[in-house]
mmCIF file of all heavy atoms in Angstrom:
data_model
loop_
_atom_site.group_PDB
_atom_site.id
_atom_site.type_symbol
_atom_site.label_atom_id
_atom_site.label_comp_id
_atom_site.label_asym_id
_atom_site.label_seq_id
_atom_site.Cartn_x
_atom_site.Cartn_y
_atom_site.Cartn_z
ATOM 1 N N ALA A 122 104.915 132.757 117.531
ATOM 2 C CA ALA A 122 104.414 132.091 116.452
ATOM 3 C C ALA A 122 105.644 131.960 115.273
ATOM 4 O O ALA A 122 105.680 130.881 114.779
ATOM 5 C CB ALA A 122 103.153 132.861 115.805
ATOM 6 N N ALA A 123 106.457 133.029 115.151
ATOM 7 C CA ALA A 123 107.426 132.908 114.238
ATOM 8 C C ALA A 123 108.601 132.182 114.775
ATOM 9 O O ALA A 123 109.191 131.331 114.114
ATOM 10 C CB ALA A 123 107.916 134.346 113.826
ATOM 11 N N LEU A 124 108.956 132.389 116.064
ATOM 12 C CA LEU A 124 110.151 131.900 116.542
ATOM 13 C C LEU A 124 110.109 130.380 116.714
ATOM 14 O O LEU A 124 111.117 129.629 116.729
ATOM 15 C CB LEU A 124 110.459 132.483 118.032
ATOM 16 C CG LEU A 124 110.719 133.898 118.066
ATOM 17 C CD1 LEU A 124 110.817 134.534 119.356
ATOM 18 C CD2 LEU A 124 111.827 134.342 117.106
ATOM 19 N N HIS A 125 108.880 129.814 116.910
ATOM 20 C CA HIS A 125 108.629 128.384 117.059
ATOM 21 C C HIS A 125 108.150 127.630 115.834
ATOM 22 O O HIS A 125 107.578 126.703 115.824
ATOM 23 C CB HIS A 125 107.849 127.959 118.221
ATOM 24 C CG HIS A 125 108.332 128.639 119.587
ATOM 25 N ND1 HIS A 125 109.425 128.139 120.067
ATOM 26 C CD2 HIS A 125 107.687 129.503 120.457
ATOM 27 C CE1 HIS A 125 109.636 128.939 121.308
ATOM 28 N NE2 HIS A 125 108.710 129.693 121.316
ATOM 29 N N SER A 126 108.204 128.380 114.591
ATOM 30 C CA SER A 126 107.785 127.942 113.394
ATOM 31 C C SER A 126 108.672 126.984 112.598
ATOM 32 O O SER A 126 108.172 126.196 111.747
ATOM 33 C CB SER A 126 107.573 129.099 112.419
ATOM 34 O OG SER A 126 108.679 129.737 112.077
ATOM 35 N N GLY A 127 109.896 126.722 113.189
ATOM 36 C CA GLY A 127 110.858 125.967 112.443
ATOM 37 C C GLY A 127 111.489 126.534 111.270
ATOM 38 O O GLY A 127 112.374 125.910 110.633
ATOM 39 N N ASP A 128 111.206 127.808 111.005
ATOM 40 C CA ASP A 128 111.769 128.558 110.008
ATOM 41 C C ASP A 128 113.292 128.698 110.288
ATOM 42 O O ASP A 128 113.664 129.074 111.186
ATOM 43 C CB ASP A 128 111.200 129.837 109.811
ATOM 44 C CG ASP A 128 111.670 130.632 108.573
ATOM 45 O OD1 ASP A 128 112.857 130.465 108.193
ATOM 46 O OD2 ASP A 128 110.917 131.457 108.017
ATOM 47 N N PRO A 129 114.227 128.167 109.351
ATOM 48 C CA PRO A 129 115.694 128.305 109.525
ATOM 49 C C PRO A 129 116.207 129.690 109.741
ATOM 50 O O PRO A 129 117.207 129.892 110.231
ATOM 51 C CB PRO A 129 116.314 127.653 108.316
ATOM 52 C CG PRO A 129 115.169 127.536 107.321
ATOM 53 C CD PRO A 129 113.976 127.473 108.069
ATOM 54 N N ALA A 130 115.356 130.746 109.251
ATOM 55 C CA ALA A 130 115.766 132.078 109.501
ATOM 56 C C ALA A 130 116.000 132.439 110.957
ATOM 57 O O ALA A 130 116.800 133.340 111.197
ATOM 58 C CB ALA A 130 114.708 133.009 108.816
ATOM 59 N N TYR A 131 115.399 131.697 111.911
ATOM 60 C CA TYR A 131 115.543 132.072 113.229
ATOM 61 C C TYR A 131 116.477 131.145 114.034
ATOM 62 O O TYR A 131 116.489 131.246 115.273
ATOM 63 C CB TYR A 131 114.023 132.033 113.876
ATOM 64 C CG TYR A 131 113.086 132.929 113.114
ATOM 65 C CD1 TYR A 131 112.066 132.280 112.432
ATOM 66 C CD2 TYR A 131 113.228 134.216 112.916
ATOM 67 C CE1 TYR A 131 111.076 132.993 111.769
ATOM 68 C CE2 TYR A 131 112.218 135.005 112.325
ATOM 69 C CZ TYR A 131 111.131 134.385 111.596
ATOM 70 O OH TYR A 131 110.291 135.078 111.014
ATOM 71 N N GLU A 132 117.077 130.238 113.355
ATOM 72 C CA GLU A 132 117.956 129.267 114.035
ATOM 73 C C GLU A 132 119.066 129.891 114.885
ATOM 74 O O GLU A 132 119.421 129.358 115.913
ATOM 75 C CB GLU A 132 118.577 128.401 113.045
ATOM 76 C CG GLU A 132 117.706 127.469 112.377
ATOM 77 C CD GLU A 132 118.392 126.450 111.398
ATOM 78 O OE1 GLU A 132 119.540 126.734 111.085
ATOM 79 O OE2 GLU A 132 117.711 125.480 110.919
ATOM 80 N N ALA A 133 119.469 131.103 114.472
ATOM 81 C CA ALA A 133 120.551 131.667 115.336
ATOM 82 C C ALA A 133 120.118 132.431 116.559
ATOM 83 O O ALA A 133 121.015 132.738 117.452
ATOM 84 C CB ALA A 133 121.333 132.701 114.472
ATOM 85 N N LEU A 134 118.888 132.576 116.671
ATOM 86 C CA LEU A 134 118.387 133.475 117.879
ATOM 87 C C LEU A 134 118.493 132.872 119.207
ATOM 88 O O LEU A 134 118.938 133.626 120.163
ATOM 89 C CB LEU A 134 116.842 133.890 117.585
ATOM 90 C CG LEU A 134 116.612 134.934 116.446
ATOM 91 C CD1 LEU A 134 115.143 135.007 116.352
ATOM 92 C CD2 LEU A 134 117.290 136.129 116.820
ATOM 93 N N PRO A 135 118.366 131.440 119.468
ATOM 94 C CA PRO A 135 118.702 130.968 120.770
ATOM 95 C C PRO A 135 120.019 131.126 121.268
ATOM 96 O O PRO A 135 120.208 131.415 122.416
ATOM 97 C CB PRO A 135 118.238 129.391 120.577
ATOM 98 C CG PRO A 135 117.249 129.471 119.417
ATOM 99 C CD PRO A 135 117.683 130.600 118.499
ATOM 100 N N ALA A 136 120.900 130.919 120.295
ATOM 101 C CA ALA A 136 122.423 131.256 120.754
ATOM 102 C C ALA A 136 122.617 132.692 121.057
ATOM 103 O O ALA A 136 123.510 132.990 122.006
ATOM 104 C CB ALA A 136 123.331 130.872 119.621
#
Side-chain angles (χ1 to χ4, degrees):
L124 300 179
H125 301 300
S126 66
D128 189 328
Y131 308 113
E132 286 179 353
L134 289 177

